[in-house]
């Protein structure tokens, strides 16, 4: 059975909680969950999975969360081959306080893993969000799932559910049809 790897980086614990919720909703027996700060040593860990859910909050001005910086830098140098890997991106962000760089980390993650050959899935509509600018919008949609616990925490659960509904048929295609439609 192809396991799914959930890797996340989180400074104040918001993306960590989101990752836990995704883990629960998708099925704990189907996914491993890896904290980039505590449990990550090298990119070979990512390559163990054909299906990846990568969580990264946005810091600085549209930058990736700290725990992802060095791994992304290393991968940029070493260029591991992610061909055949399917990746969906999510992460906490703040559309009001940081509306000029909303969820920029999703775009940086997307660019990097696309360059390494991965297929990025899990785009999400921009409707319901209000922000000045986001590099994470491509063809009118976010390249992943931004979650705003600062301003719209009441929407987080339903956004995760909506997003996972689009991912289940892709990520669990090889599993039992019951899971695919659950
Ligand atoms: C100093 C600072 C810089 C931030 N920069 C951004 C930003 O550029 N874009 C954005 O969307 N959110 C930004 N945020 C908001 C964080 O992404 C948000 O607080 C998020 O919930 C943190 O998630 P984490 O605990 O998983 O790291 C920033 C927050 C702080 C405190």
């Amino acid at each position: 059975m192809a396991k799914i790897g959930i890797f996340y980086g989180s400074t104040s614990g918001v993306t960590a909680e989101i990752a836990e919720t995704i883990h629960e909703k998708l099925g704990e027996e189907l996914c491993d969950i890896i904290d980039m700060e505590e449990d990550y040593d090298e990119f070979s860990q990512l390559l163990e999975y054909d299906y990846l859910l990568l969580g990264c909050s946005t810091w600085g001005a549209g930058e990736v969360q700290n725990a992802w910086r060095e791994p992304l830098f290393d991968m940029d140098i070493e260029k591991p081959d992610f061909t055949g890997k399917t990746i969906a991106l999510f992460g906490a962000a703040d559309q009001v306080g940081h509306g000029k760089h909303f969820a920029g980390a999703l775009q940086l993650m997307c660019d990097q893993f696309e360059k390494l050959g991965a297929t990025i899935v899990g785009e999400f509509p921009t409707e319901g969000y209000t922000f000045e600018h986001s590099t994470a919008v491509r063809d009118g949609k976010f390249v992943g799932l931004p979650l705003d616990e600062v301003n719209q925490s009441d929407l987080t659960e339903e956004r995760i559910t909506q997003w996972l509904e689009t991912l289940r048929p892709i990520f669990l295609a090889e599993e039992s049809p019951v899971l695919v439609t659950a």
Side-chain angles (χ1 to χ4, degrees):
M1 183 170 82
K3 271 214 164 190
I4 298 164
I6 304 173
F7 289 72
Y8 70 88
S10 181
T11 300
S12 49
V14 179
T15 305
E17 246 184 67
I18 292 162
E20 294 289 351
T21 304
I22 290 172
H23 190 206
E24 255 171 54
K25 283 183 182 284
L26 211 46
E28 293 185 3
E29 66 292 354
L30 296 175
C31 319
D32 292 330
I33 183 158
I34 293 102
D35 178 347
M36 292 298 289
E37 194 74 50
E38 300 286 328
D39 311 320
Y40 179 90
D41 295 311
E42 51 185 27
F43 56 71
S44 61
Q45 287 170 262
L46 289 162
L47 291 168
E48 284 171 25
Y49 302 89
D50 287 333
Y51 295 97
L52 287 156
L53 285 153
L54 305 183
C56 180
S57 52
T58 301
W59 286 82
E63 299 298 326
V64 296
Q65 191 272 340
N66 223 17
W68 277 104
R69 287 164 66 114
E70 206 176 305
L72 292 183
F73 181 76
D74 286 348
M75 284 187 264
D76 209 24
I77 305 283
E78 303 270 341
K79 307 215 177 335
D81 187 6
F82 278 79
T83 306
K85 309 288 183 193
T86 302
I87 298 181
L89 304 166
F90 65 95
D94 173 355
Q95 64 200 287
V96 177
H98 299 274
K100 285 189 181 152
H101 305 279
F102 182 51
L106 296 181
Q107 178 262 333
L108 294 172
M109 297 281 285
C110 178
D111 273 9
Q112 173 112 9
F113 285 100
E114 271 184 343
K115 265 198 283 177
L116 298 173
T119 302
I120 306 296
V121 297
E123 59 185 21
F124 198 75
T126 56
E127 281 81 29
Y129 297 86
T130 306
F131 53 92
E132 230 178 293
H133 181 68
S134 176
T135 51
V137 178
R138 186 162 73 181
D139 300 329
K141 290 188 170 176
F142 291 115
V143 295
L145 173 67
L147 294 160
D148 186 343
E149 279 290 296
V150 184
N151 309 290
Q152 294 182 327
S153 59
D154 51 324
L155 297 178
T156 293
E157 172 110 22
E158 128 191 9
R159 282 175 172 158
I160 293 173
T161 303
Q162 184 187 339
W163 188 61
L164 289 181
E165 267 164 29
T166 68
L167 289 180
R168 264 198 190 87
I170 303 168
F171 276 52
L172 304 179
E174 293 161 26
E175 308 300 331
S176 98
V178 175
L179 279 171
V180 172
T181 54

